[in-house]
Amino acid sequence: TQLLEQSPQFLSIQEGENLTVYCNSSSVFSSLQWYRQEPGEGPVLLVTVVTGGEVKKLKRLTFQFGDARKDSSLHITAAQPGDTGLYLCAGVNYGGSQGNLIFGKGTKLSVKP
Amino acid sequence: EAGVVQSPRYKIIEKKQPVAFWCNPISGHNTLYWYRQNLGQGPELLIRYENEEAVDDSQLPKDRFSAERLKGVDSTLKIQPAELGDSAVYLCASSYPGFGEQYFGPGTRLTVT
């Protein structure tokens, strides 16, 4: 069974601080996705990383896929209250269960003004 | 363009009662997913449809859960009878065939008392 471990589980910071959340697995994934979920809503895709070592930037968010495609990180620079939410990583394997996502438990981020 | 529509948004029932959730995917999306998200957890896949065909229902508890997707568009997920442990958010997602990005609906929050 493939599992994704996310850390930390909870994170409460002040506006303007930087933060990094981690997503780790003992399994290799074809690609990895990061989602943000706000209360009462479904997850919304932020980014997909495919190549080992890949780095993608989305404004103040930087995503990295590990060289071995087993882990990923999300770094937020100068966090804002609007960044508050549940950040989920999800691994994808292209094979028998084409496109099925395996989600981690998420990191609940709270950014205080 | 309308997103994935789910109803009802909230449902409270007593244990042993039946309950049904409805999902209308994004127009043109042939693939439809049902997920269950327990409190403090990431979503877990219950069933995946390609058009009318359930191509992956390995995680669906078939003794009490059933799903259908008549005509390959709308889908209904049913629980009969509901148990206390079924309390969760039930998310529907849709995508284009293959490895397309999944778009999630807002979910139905089920409380079983």
Side-chain angles (χ1 to χ4, degrees):
Chain A
T1 302
Q2 294 180 304
L3 294 174
L4 281 166
E5 300 288 339
Q6 289 191 243
S7 62
Q9 190 175 354
F10 301 96
L11 191 54
S12 181
I13 61 172
Q14 293 295 130
E15 182 177 2
E17 293 183 4
N18 301 333
L19 67 113
T20 302
V21 299
Y22 300 92
C23 176
N24 296 294
S25 175
S26 58
S27 304
V28 175
F29 288 97
S30 301
S31 66
L32 199 137
Q33 298 181 339
W34 284 92
Y35 291 79
R36 187 173 81 187
Q37 185 177 22
E38 298 188 25
E41 300 297 326
V44 176
L45 180 66
L46 296 173
V47 77
T48 301
V49 286
V50 179
T51 306
E54 182 177 5
V55 177
K56 281 190 174 180
K57 292 190 175 182
L58 185 66
K59 298 182 179 178
R60 293 176 293 102
L61 279 60
T62 301
F63 305 85
Q64 186 162 6
F65 200 13
D67 291 340
R69 290 188 286 123
K70 292 183 178 180
D71 55 89
S72 182
S73 64
L74 158 61
H75 182 79
I76 301 178
T77 303
Q80 299 177 358
D83 295 327
T84 293
L86 178 68
Y87 288 82
L88 294 159
C89 67
V92 185
N93 270 327
Y94 305 134
S97 299
Q98 294 182 25
N100 283 356
L101 299 175
I102 298 171
F103 282 89
K105 292 183 179 182
T107 292
K108 193 169 185 179
L109 173 64
S110 175
V111 182
K112 300 180 180 178
Chain B
E1 178 182 294
V4 176
V5 179
Q6 290 189 248
S7 68
R9 292 294 310 273
Y10 304 92
K11 189 75 176 179
I12 301 174
I13 61 171
E14 294 184 346
K15 63 181 180 181
K16 300 185 181 179
Q17 294 301 305
V19 64
F21 315 123
W22 176 80
C23 173
N24 178 243
I26 292 173
S27 177
H29 283 189
N30 295 342
T31 307
L32 184 146
Y33 310 77
W34 282 103
Y35 290 86
R36 177 170 60 189
Q37 186 173 21
N38 292 311
L39 188 64
Q41 305 288 322
E44 295 177 324
L45 181 69
L46 292 173
I47 189 167
R48 175 168 65 97
Y49 282 94
E50 295 287 349
N51 298 305
E52 304 89 357
E53 183 183 0
V55 297
D56 186 351
D57 63 356
S58 57
Q59 300 303 311
L60 189 72
K62 298 180 184 63
D63 56 335
R64 297 183 300 107
F65 286 65
S66 64
E68 61 182 11
R69 191 184 184 198
L70 301 176
K71 301 182 181 179
V73 181
D74 295 359
S75 178
T76 302
L77 178 68
K78 298 178 181 178
I79 309 175
Q80 182 171 10
E83 297 179 352
L84 294 176
D86 295 331
S87 294
V89 175
Y90 291 83
L91 294 162
C92 178
S94 69
S95 72
Y96 287 113
F99 314 126
E101 175 183 347
Q102 294 185 29
Y103 293 81
F104 285 81
T108 297
R109 180 176 294 277
L110 173 67
T111 301
V112 182
T113 63

